[in-house]
Every structure is written in structure tokens, then in C-alpha cells.
Amino acid sequence: MVDCCSAPGLMPFAQALETMLAAISPITEIENITLSEGLGRVLSNDITSPINVPPHNNSAMDGYAFAQASLVAQSSLHLVGRSMAGQPYQGICGEGQCVRIMTGAKMPEGCDTVEMQENCQAENESVRFLAQRNKGDNVRYAGEDINQGHEVFAKGRRLSAIDIGVLASLGIDDLKVFRKLKVALIATGDELKSLGEPLGDGDIYESNSYALAGMLKNLNVNIIDFGVIVDDENAIRTAFMQADEQADAVISSGGVSVGDADYTKLVLEQIGEIAFWKIAMKPGKPFAFGKLPNSLFFGLPGNPVSAMVTADLLAMPALLKLQNCHSAPAITLKATTLTELRKSPGRMDFQRGVLSYNNDGALMVNSTGSQGSGILTSIASANCYIVLPTEQGRVKAGESVNVRLFERFYS
Ligand code: AMP
Ligand code: MG
């Protein structure tokens, strides 16, 4: 694997992402599930519609159905019956005739147009039409939502709540989806305490795995939480090996740089194939990606902001690929920065910002303030990254910058 550390300089962010994605083969195992289990699952085949939706021409209004040609000459039609939703009119509606019709009811044979009841005066069996209608008005056509045989969703689509509704409208109850991924989470650090434990001198509460578990819920994966592992080579090796036996991907945080207690890289070199990268991005310079015997490995930096940003921008896209999932590219916009942005050339910055409109409707972005890699609230209060290119230096207030909206992983 590529080892960027031996190369002079840092690896550009785009190259790191591309190299990592190229090394990932998506899973192939498929499961059969029912539609009610489908939310958040990834389709393993294209879905074409077995029927027209709607299946028949029907009325968009409560009113009267008739043949538009028969109304041109006369303003009253003879009422011959009614068509209700689910109880169609069985006869043929002839010239000079109309049928009482309700929203969603099948269009009677012989009818091509509907007038809403507010524009009609019914008296006994005669209906007076107060307005003229064009042929086809207020009719919903068979197949106007989805045509039979038409591809509705492609393989790789993650099913949303609306997708589930669309599939139900097609009468589809059996789905083939890729199986769920299993992702192991490991936090490393002697100073880390789990919630509920007292903090000793020099300790902090472990937060990365909680936030990462939340991000992973958006990918609908099964999480295997290994908790906190101390900074000890053997303990880390044992945890990584156990995680590798159980998971498709292992995500650790901490111990990935080159400090005295940083064992991630060392252990990975022993038991797997590892690419350790210094990426030209801020936050998140040290990042390990590699393969263990059975799983992918992502070694995130320990600093909470660096861990979240590298998870969002590198690990999540990798897991999406592993899941076979197609995802829309992130939305990037141009906005005017309201504040000066401190930056030195050399790395691509993903500063945290709040995007909003000013009174003239122009997009403005405000920095969330201190951008230190330990300040997790700098993400909590943001809705976007302010993406500053590698060679960019300080940005003055009033200048235009690229802004990338947060994806759903942070929600
Ligand atoms: P490391 O990458 O292990 O050198 O850690 C860098 C910084 O991130 C240190 O201040 C750690 O205390 C902190 N840190 C590491 N892992 C976590 C974690 N899981 N939750 C919160 N902070 C962490
Ligand atoms: Mg550490």
C-alpha cells in the first residue's frame, strides 16, 4: 500500500480519498427482506415497476365526468350514475351524459374530462355546467406517476421513507438488499474514561465513539463497540484482532500519530496491510487506512474535531462504497465570509461555519470561532465547512469562499 509518510510532504486530500476508495471492493452478500424492514437498506438490484401508477385514469376532483366534446354544444348534461373511489361506474357514459365522480374514482368509459362540483348546478338528473373545460382537465392518467416497466430505483439506492411509500404504491413487498455492514469502534487512550466512571487526575471523558456511533446510525450499520483500550501495544493488538474477526470495518481513534504512546501504526504494520497518511488537510493530518485480514481499517486521529472531520470526509464515503451505496455529491456553494479567516498555506482547511442569507438574499458565512482540533462545539454550532484550498493564506472579511454543506452524517 501507499505509504505517504516516506514521501516528502503531505498527501492532498483528494488523492487520499481517491486512493482509498479505489482500494475498496463492495460487499456482495444479499438478503431478502419485506418492505416494512427496508428503511435505510441498500437495494441490490434495479427495481422496475410491475404496474402503472396510478393503474387507471381517475378524477383529480369531486365533480362530474363527461366527454368534453359533448359539452361544447350544450351547457347541461344528463346524469346517468356515479363513480366512487374503489367502486367504478360500470356503464358507458354516452354523448350528452355525465357521471357523478369522486376524487380518485376511475374515469367511466366514454369520459375524458372532469368538472369540479363547485362549477356545476345539479337538479334531479340534470347537471348544468357553468364553465367550459378543456379535454383532459382534472383527469389523472394511468401511469402518470410511474409507467409499467419503467426503472424506479437503481441498485445501490439507500431507501428513504418516501422510497418505501413509492415501492408500496407499486405493490412491492419483497426486496433484495445488501446485508448490513458490521463496524467495530475502538477508542484508544489511557486518559479516556467511559461515561459513568469517575474522572481521575488527567482523565477526560471518551466522546469520539459516541459521536461516531451516531454518525454510523445514519448508515444503518451494526455497531460493535469495543469501548476504551489503554495505550498498550498488546492490548491494542488483541482489540484490533478481535474486531477484525467480527467486523467488515474497524474504526479506531487516537494513538495514530507519532507520540510515545501511539501504537496504532505499529500494530497495524504487524497484523495488516497499512497505509499511514499525513494528509494535507486541517483538521485531521494523521489518518491511517488499511486492510486487516478480514476487514478495512480506519485509524482516526484522537482529537475530537479531527476524528469527526476525517470520519465524515474519508471513513463515511469509504463505508458507503463498501455498502454499494450511491450517494449524491456534497453540495458546494459560494458565500461571502463575514469574518477574517486565519489560515496558512500548505493544507486544505475544513473550517466550521454557519451559512445564512443576508437581507438581500446573498449567502454569507460566519466562522464558528476558535477552530482548535479539540473544540467539538465548533462543529456542533456549524452547518457547513468553509473549504479553503491548500495554497490559500488568510482570507479577509468580505471575500468569497467555498462552502460545503454538512451531509446527514452529522445529524
Ligand atoms: P491522540 O491522537 O491519541 O494523540 O489524542 C489526541 C487528543 O485527542 C488527546 O488530547 C486525547 O486526549 C484526545 N482524544 C483521543 N481519543 C479521544 C476520544 N475517544 N474521545 C475524546 N478525546 C480523545
Ligand atoms: Mg492517545
Side-chain angles (χ1 to χ4, degrees):
M1 281 209 168
V2 190
D3 185 345
C4 183
C5 286
S6 54
L10 308 175
M11 183 185 271
F13 168 75
Q15 188 189 341
L17 181 62
E18 198 182 317
T19 311
M20 184 183 63
L21 292 179
I24 295 171
S25 309
I27 58 162
T28 53
E29 298 98 324
I30 287 165
E31 278 172 16
N32 293 305
I33 59 166
T34 60
L35 185 65
S36 58
E37 300 166 316
L39 186 66
R41 302 302 299 269
V42 180
L43 288 175
S44 65
N45 58 323
D46 300 339
I47 291 193
T48 52
S49 177
I51 56 169
N52 279 321
V53 179
H56 44 258
N57 294 353
N58 68 89
S59 176
M61 293 284 178
D62 294 333
Y64 296 88
F66 52 94
Q68 193 261 356
S70 70
L71 196 62
V72 178
Q74 52 190 120
S75 63
S76 285
L77 296 173
H78 180 63
L79 183 64
V80 292
R82 58 184 204 159
S83 183
M84 311 291 284
Q87 289 168 342
Y89 177 65
Q90 297 297 338
I92 298 173
C93 179
E95 210 188 312
Q97 298 180 332
C98 66
V99 171
R100 178 91 172 113
I101 196 163
M102 297 293 122
T103 304
K106 187 175 175 189
M107 286 295 282
E109 202 178 327
C111 297
D112 55 28
T113 305
V114 171
E115 177 59 281
M116 65 172 100
Q117 61 192 27
E118 290 83 347
N119 291 337
C120 300
Q121 286 172 346
E123 216 180 294
N124 298 326
E125 295 193 342
S126 171
V127 181
R128 221 170 99 77
F129 288 78
L130 306 177
Q132 198 48 253
R133 280 283 145 232
N134 292 321
K135 189 173 167 182
D137 279 356
N138 299 322
V139 177
R140 303 190 292 212
Y141 287 98
E144 88 175 13
D145 186 356
I146 304 164
N147 260 313
Q148 187 174 13
H150 186 261
E151 181 181 304
V152 188
F153 297 131
K155 171 184 169 182
R157 184 179 182 95
R158 181 189 306 284
L159 295 175
S160 69
I162 303 301
D163 296 349
I164 301 286
V166 170
L167 291 170
S169 77
L170 304 180
I172 293 177
D173 196 21
D174 299 319
L175 299 176
K176 284 191 191 315
V177 294
F178 290 106
R179 70 162 171 81
K180 282 192 182 188
L181 293 184
K182 288 167 280 180
V183 179
L185 287 179
I186 300 175
T188 69
D190 285 345
E191 76 284 25
L192 304 177
K193 289 287 171 291
S194 297
L195 299 186
E197 290 178 346
L199 286 185
D201 193 21
D203 290 345
I204 61 166
Y205 283 119
E206 193 282 303
S207 61
N208 286 346
S209 66
Y210 288 89
L212 289 168
M215 290 169 78
L216 288 169
K217 289 229 165 80
N218 290 313
L219 288 191
N220 201 14
V221 304
N222 289 326
I223 296 167
I224 311 167
D225 190 355
F226 278 75
V228 175
I229 308 295
V230 291
D231 289 316
D232 171 81
E233 187 185 325
N234 289 330
I236 289 178
R237 185 169 39 245
T238 306
F240 285 5
M241 285 168 75
Q242 283 176 356
D244 175 56
E245 276 166 24
Q246 298 174 44
D248 301 296
V250 179
I251 302 179
S252 80
S253 66
V256 78
S257 38
V258 287
D260 292 346
D262 291 338
Y263 296 109
T264 300
K265 181 173 179 251
L266 178 76
V267 169
L268 283 162
E269 276 162 354
Q270 295 164 358
I271 63 171
E273 198 186 341
I274 183 75
F276 175 68
W277 292 328
K278 286 187 174 163
I279 302 179
M281 68 187 286
K282 191 179 174 188
K285 185 166 70 169
F287 176 82
F289 166 67
K291 288 180 181 171
L292 297 175
N294 308 296
S295 62
L296 296 177
F297 181 87
F298 304 93
L300 312 182
N303 275 309
V305 173
S306 311
M308 296 309 114
V309 174
T310 50
D312 182 36
L313 299 176
L314 293 163
M316 293 293 148
L319 292 178
L320 284 175
K321 173 143 189 212
L322 191 62
Q323 273 188 326
N324 288 277
C325 194
H326 297 161
S327 56
I331 296 175
T332 301
L333 304 165
K334 287 231 177 275
T336 303
T337 176
L338 289 164
T339 44
E340 177 182 277
L341 302 170
R342 292 172 61 187
K343 176 171 186 314
S344 358
R347 290 202 262 166
M348 191 173 198
D349 266 24
F350 293 91
Q351 300 195 9
R352 277 72 67 205
V354 181
L355 187 66
S356 61
Y357 289 106
N358 69 7
N359 291 338
D360 300 327
L363 279 175
M364 314 300 281
V365 69
N366 216 340
S367 168
T368 54
S370 178
Q371 298 287 314
S373 59
I375 299 176
L376 197 50
T377 50
S378 73
I379 307 183
S381 54
N383 59 12
C384 65
Y385 295 119
I386 305 169
V387 185
L388 303 177
T390 312
E391 294 318 322
Q392 171 84 53
R394 192 171 59 95
V395 181
K396 294 199 221 70
E399 288 188 40
S400 174
V401 288
N402 284 331
V403 157
R404 173 173 162 155
L405 294 182
F406 282 168
E407 289 176 66
R408 71 205 141 85
F409 307 128
Y410 281 159
S411 59

